[in-house]
Amino acid sequence: MTRRTTLALAALLAAAPVVATALPAAAQGPACTRPDRPKLPPGKKTKGPEMEAAEKKVGDYTTKMTAYLKCLDKAKTDAMTEHKGVIEEWNGVIDAYKKAPG
């Protein structure tokens, strides 16, 4: 397998769909802040006001989690674009090297 083929294969693998797994903090990027999971009441003996407060917490969490997931999608897209650019630039370097005398 040539170096160019290996790099092209790496680029294709990077573009593959992401399996729903937790990403390490470093991979998430500084702008993507995962919201804390809300503590939920047991439900069985919970009173109305406590349920209303929990409903608000879940709503807030859902809003924040949606923004977090969008941020991760953007971070992934940005990383893939950068990776593709580096591979294309590297392939240009390889071509120039092969054409150089000596």
Side-chain angles (χ1 to χ4, degrees), residues 33-38 52-68:
T33 304
R34 185 175 181 150
D36 293 330
R37 186 182 194 283
E52 290 172 10
E55 182 179 25
K56 181 181 178 340
K57 287 179 187 177
V58 170
D60 291 344
Y61 170 79
T62 299
T63 299
K64 291 175 183 175
M65 184 56 82
T66 299
Y68 170 71

Side-chain angles (χ1 to χ4, degrees), residues 23 27-29 31-35 61-79:
L23 295 174
Q28 295 172 3
C32 301
T33 304
R34 185 175 181 150
Y61 170 79
T62 299
T63 299
K64 291 175 183 175
M65 184 56 82
T66 299
Y68 170 71
L69 292 170
K70 286 180 183 179
C71 180
L72 290 179
D73 285 342
K74 182 176 179 344
K76 179 184 174 197
T77 299
D78 292 349

Side-chain angles (χ1 to χ4, degrees), residues 6-28:
T6 302
L7 292 174
L9 179 60
L12 286 173
L13 290 174
V18 171
V19 180
T21 59
L23 295 174
Q28 295 172 3

